Amino acid sequence: MIRNNFLLSIVLLAGFGLYAQTPGYDLAGIPEAVRKNATQVIRSEKIEFEVSAVDRARLTVDKVVTVLGEGGRSALFFMEETDKFISLEDVEIKVFDAAGKNIGKYKQKDLTTLAIADGLIDDSKMYLLQVPASSFPVTVEYKYELRYKGILSYPRYEIQHPGEGVQQSSYTARIRQELDLRYKTKNIALTPTVEEDGKYKTYSWTVKDLGPLEEEEGAVSYESRYPSVLLAPNRFKLDDYEGDMTSWKSFGRWYGDLKKGLDLLPDERKAFFQELVKNAKTDREKIKIIYTYLQNNFRYVSIQLGIGGFRPFPADFTDKKKYGDCKALSNYMQAVLQTIGIKSYQALVNAGYNKEPVSPDFPCNQFNHVIVCVPQPKDSIWLECTSRTNDFARLGSFTENRNALLITEDGGMLVTTPASRLKNNFFTAVTNIELNEDGSGKTTTYFSTTGEYKQDMMDCANEKSDARKIYFINKMGFKDPGQVLFKKEDTLDDYLVTVTQALDVIPELKTGSKMFLTPRIYQFWKLKLPKAEKRSQDFYFNCPFAKTDMTIIHLPAGYKPDALPESKVLRCGYAVYITRYSYDEKEGKIYSTARIDLSEYKIPVKDYAKVKEFFDAILQDNLQRIVIKRQ
């Protein structure tokens, strides 16, 4: 990581009864356009990256940052990760208060050092420092060096972070001419100066006086929407494995070579899996049996791709230990499928909520996860091998809608993962409210969930009872969930949850002979979308979905509806909202139904105002009330 947000403040030096401002540290020296609305300002930054061989390089960083207020405190947190290929050297951090007094000085020995990757890779470490600041502005002068003894990725030039102004920043890449590099600018028009000097070719990018960019809630991850320059090697080398990254095919060939021979299982284990699937009639049934076996018998340990090496653990090792990271578990799944005669491929993907797909025209390593793809005559089967709860052949928002690098016999092939679909994320609720004449009563709500909603409910089920209760009160809007039962239907993908309440007061208001009731006992929709004015980025929901609710209110004897809410049908280009209200006099019940269908998870900025207006109208419709009256 090149850019950790650090802070820098005014430094005032006293001398002979007068105060002199340290050059470059005074707030008055920051242009108003750079400082306005900023939480921190990079005063100066010089990044130099030199590649002396295909597997040797060093990165030096020298920067001064001013944190202007509490909102920039996260920029005081320093973190660098190292492994067998990267070492951290010559760290020096100096901190100054607003008067220019040096209030802190830190060397590498002062950093907190943590072993990462669950202790499986001994040389993977994380270096941390939380720079203390009791008042603002505060300034940090920051210097360090990273040395590379193996290279897969060139550090990107992250020009700007959220809420950050930049006075001056430069990035220089000095590369052996026979190696050279490739680059791609994102969200900025910036051309480097290029010079050649003997054996080296030098690229230099410089920016000055950049005002802060507003953080927009619900936008694509910041590394994709803020100004940056991606750099990538043409040739690279880790350990004894040298590769070519000028095409996705050659990059995939390198990764395929890296894992050769690691998919072998002993004969007795091959026989075990062949016996396990012997009664399955189709390949899909066989794959599901193997996937279920993996979920029930193996656990995931977090070793992120790029930390602790890229080679997965051998399949035999994973089989014996019953754990692994995404590489190891995906490699194991591929090995097992191979034993039952089913071809599959590992696929590298950039995982995470609202991550932007990698650029098809710029081969480079932007991946942090591995999944498995099983080609089929129609739709391929995609497997998330790290999850014990994912439904079979469902990826979810973590890896849907991406470009994944399929590792085939002929090299890498960039393919799209499945798109998010409404039908995969269902939330259905049925509530019965037994209302008494005094306003007390009992409620029972039955939830049936799939996809992302199912994941939420299953995560909740794994919490302690107090935490579960807080979830249903704060996130779902229940008053007092007394008993919560969770149930997985073995024959269905649905996850079932029952919530019961015994409430002293159910009506929102009780006056005279009337009771005012909310149409639903919980909050069917509560998300208020961020403002639309001056928005410049697309908005991302977590996933497309279908939410439905039916609430049945059993009226106390002698009561009838005095007023029912107006039924609604609202539409926009991406969603529909429908409500219906009715009264069955014979049964003495009021029926309230609601449905929201969102067909697309990504809302282009040009359409966002209309979508926000749509969901604001739903929030407004939630204010309608059912009024019942004693006759």
Side-chain angles (χ1 to χ4, degrees):
M1 181 184 301
I2 308 173
R3 300 288 307 279
N4 299 295
N5 292 335
F6 288 88
L7 307 165
L8 175 65
S9 172
I10 312 174
V11 179
L12 299 175
L13 297 180
F16 304 104
L18 298 175
Y19 287 93
Q21 293 176 326
T22 302
Y25 285 22
D26 58 302
L27 289 184
I30 305 176
E32 174 64 19
V34 175
R35 186 172 61 177
K36 186 178 180 181
N37 298 323
T39 57
Q40 69 263 7
V41 174
I42 292 181
R43 312 302 297 278
S44 65
E45 178 177 52
K46 185 178 182 181
I47 303 168
E48 295 182 344
F49 180 59
E50 181 176 312
V51 179
S52 57
V54 69
D55 60 351
R56 292 292 186 271
R58 68 173 186 167
L59 176 80
T60 60
V61 176
D62 184 350
K63 68 178 178 180
V64 177
V65 189
T66 298
V67 173
L68 302 174
E70 190 69 35
R73 184 175 287 276
S74 62
L76 291 167
F77 185 68
F78 166 65
M79 181 183 72
E80 285 293 339
E81 294 178 357
T82 65
D83 56 29
K84 63 181 292 185
F85 303 114
I86 304 174
S87 61
L88 178 65
E89 311 284 345
D90 301 327
V91 176
E92 183 179 53
I93 301 172
K94 295 180 181 178
V95 188
F96 302 86
D97 66 12
K101 180 181 178 182
N102 182 250
I103 56 174
K105 185 175 181 179
Y106 306 92
K107 294 286 190 177
Q108 187 163 339
K109 64 181 177 61
D110 301 312
L111 305 179
T112 299
T113 305
L114 300 176
I116 55 179
D118 288 343
L120 297 174
I121 305 297
D122 293 336
D123 51 13
S124 295
K125 295 182 176 63
M126 183 179 294
Y127 292 89
L128 308 170
L129 177 69
Q130 179 66 61
V131 178
S134 57
S135 62
F136 299 98
V138 63
T139 296
V140 175
E141 185 177 327
Y142 179 59
K143 297 180 181 180
Y144 75 100
E145 180 176 310
L146 291 174
R147 295 181 185 175
Y148 297 74
K149 296 181 180 179
I151 300 173
L152 177 63
S153 303
Y154 287 170
R156 65 191 291 165
Y157 180 23
E158 295 181 8
I159 297 170
Q160 213 169 1
H161 285 147
E164 186 173 71
V166 180
Q167 274 192 273
Q168 191 280 331
S169 175
S170 67
Y171 185 113
T172 300
R174 190 167 181 261
I175 313 291
R176 295 277 298 192
Q177 289 213 36
E178 68 271 19
L179 298 174
D180 209 351
L181 59 73
R182 293 168 294 113
Y183 67 88
K184 181 182 180 68
T185 57
K186 295 180 69 67
N187 305 309
I188 190 171
L190 189 62
T191 302
T193 60
V194 183
E195 298 178 352
E196 296 186 20
D197 179 18
K199 297 179 180 180
Y200 286 87
K201 191 172 184 179
T202 302
Y203 298 79
S204 298
W205 293 266
T206 300
V207 296
K208 292 182 178 180
D209 297 336
L210 301 180
L213 299 174
E214 184 178 357
E215 176 75 359
E216 294 187 330
E217 183 182 348
V220 72
S221 53
Y222 87 86
E223 65 267 22
S224 297
R225 70 181 186 271
Y226 280 84
S228 65
V229 181
L230 299 179
L231 290 87
N234 293 323
R235 291 165 49 203
F236 61 93
K237 186 178 181 182
L238 288 179
D239 283 336
D240 296 326
Y241 295 87
E242 186 169 345
D244 180 295
M245 203 179 287
T246 55
S247 71
W248 289 117
K249 185 174 183 177
S250 62
F251 181 34
R253 185 179 297 118
W254 170 83
Y255 188 81
D257 290 342
L258 199 67
K259 64 183 186 67
K260 274 185 179 177
L262 301 178
D263 57 353
L264 304 178
L265 290 169
D267 290 341
E268 65 270 18
R269 293 300 287 164
K270 292 180 182 179
F272 168 81
F273 289 113
Q274 291 163 0
E275 178 70 17
L276 189 64
V277 301
K278 69 177 183 180
N279 294 324
K281 297 179 180 179
T282 66
D283 279 356
R284 187 178 183 88
E285 289 179 27
K286 293 178 182 179
I287 298 166
K288 186 172 184 178
I289 290 170
I290 298 299
Y291 184 69
T292 302
Y293 174 84
L294 181 77
Q295 286 187 310
N296 291 338
N297 293 279
F298 290 74
R299 67 182 177 90
Y300 168 70
V301 292
S302 178
I303 308 175
Q304 300 302 320
L305 189 63
I307 301 299
F310 277 71
R311 298 189 77 197
F313 296 140
D316 187 32
F317 175 91
T318 305
D319 186 66
K320 291 175 181 175
K321 298 295 184 180
K322 298 295 186 289
Y323 63 66
D325 65 354
C326 62
K327 303 186 297 294
L329 294 175
S330 294
N331 181 67
Y332 181 72
M333 171 60 71
Q334 185 180 31
V336 173
L337 292 177
Q338 184 175 277
T339 68
I340 60 173
I342 295 177
K343 180 180 288 294
S344 64
Y345 298 109
Q346 294 180 44
L348 310 184
V349 65
N350 59 326
Y353 163 66
N354 75 355
K355 290 285 186 179
E356 187 178 62
V358 300
S359 300
D361 61 350
F362 190 72
C364 72
N365 177 45
Q366 298 178 56
F367 306 112
N368 63 355
H369 195 49
V370 183
I371 53 181
V372 170
C373 176
V374 187
Q376 296 288 284
K378 293 184 179 180
D379 292 334
S380 295
I381 296 173
W382 291 86
L383 303 173
E384 172 54 75
C385 299
T386 63
S387 173
R388 288 187 168 187
T389 58
N390 267 38
D391 292 332
F392 170 69
R394 296 278 177 83
L395 290 181
S397 62
F398 193 58
T399 50
E400 290 176 327
N401 314 295
R402 310 295 157 79
N403 293 326
L405 187 63
L406 213 62
I407 309 302
T408 74
E409 300 88 342
D410 297 324
M413 179 187 300
L414 207 63
V415 299
T416 56
T417 63
S420 296
R421 296 179 180 178
L422 174 154
K423 67 178 183 180
N424 292 338
N425 303 290
F426 267 76
F427 173 101
T428 302
V430 177
T431 300
N432 281 282
I433 301 175
E434 299 284 350
L435 183 62
N436 298 323
E437 189 174 353
D438 63 356
S440 65
K442 296 180 180 179
T443 74
T444 303
T445 303
Y446 303 95
F447 292 106
S448 178
T449 58
T450 65
E452 295 299 310
Y453 293 113
K454 172 183 173 180
Q455 291 297 318
D456 283 349
M457 290 294 190
M458 294 184 80
D459 289 344
C460 180
N462 291 327
E463 298 288 345
K464 294 181 179 180
S465 58
D466 288 346
R468 291 201 297 263
K469 189 171 183 177
I470 291 172
Y471 173 89
F472 281 98
I473 292 174
N474 292 346
K475 187 168 183 178
M476 301 290 290
F478 282 89
K479 288 184 178 180
D480 185 16
Q483 186 179 39
V484 183
L485 301 176
F486 298 90
K487 182 181 180 182
K488 171 69 172 71
E489 285 288 340
D490 293 335
T491 58
L492 301 171
D493 286 340
D494 301 53
Y495 190 69
L496 308 180
V497 180
T498 303
V499 181
T500 61
Q501 299 180 114
L503 301 174
D504 293 334
V505 179
I506 290 179
E508 192 172 65
L509 176 66
K510 188 173 186 294
T511 175
S513 61
K514 293 184 179 181
M515 296 187 197
F516 294 77
L517 306 166
T518 57
R520 284 159 283 281
I521 201 67
Y522 67 101
Q523 292 176 310
F524 181 61
W525 182 261
K526 61 182 293 187
L527 176 65
K528 183 174 178 59
L529 271 59
K531 67 179 183 179
E533 295 79 9
K534 298 182 180 180
R535 188 173 182 92
S536 61
Q537 301 289 331
D538 298 337
F539 180 85
Y540 288 75
F541 287 91
N542 194 47
C543 60
F545 59 81
K547 294 190 72 173
T548 64
D549 177 272
M550 174 181 285
T551 296
I552 306 166
I553 304 174
H554 302 248
L555 300 184
Y559 276 81
K560 289 186 178 181
D562 188 58
L564 294 180
E566 177 186 356
S567 297
K568 290 283 181 68
V569 178
L570 304 176
R571 300 181 186 276
C572 68
Y574 300 86
V576 61
Y577 171 69
I578 301 171
T579 62
R580 294 283 186 270
Y581 301 93
S582 63
Y583 172 60
D584 187 314
E585 186 170 6
K586 183 178 180 180
E587 295 181 341
K589 299 176 183 178
I590 294 175
Y591 290 83
S592 165
T593 63
R595 182 181 180 102
I596 304 175
D597 286 356
L598 177 72
S599 58
E600 300 288 340
Y601 81 110
K602 178 181 177 181
I603 309 300
V605 65
K606 65 182 179 64
D607 298 325
Y608 176 71
K610 292 184 293 185
V611 174
K612 174 175 169 53
E613 182 180 354
F614 171 86
F615 281 97
D616 284 350
I618 293 177
L619 292 176
Q620 186 64 33
D621 191 56
N622 288 343
L623 299 178
Q624 292 198 88
R625 296 295 177 258
I626 294 170
V627 183
I628 62 173
K629 184 178 181 180
R630 186 174 58 248
Q631 302 301 305

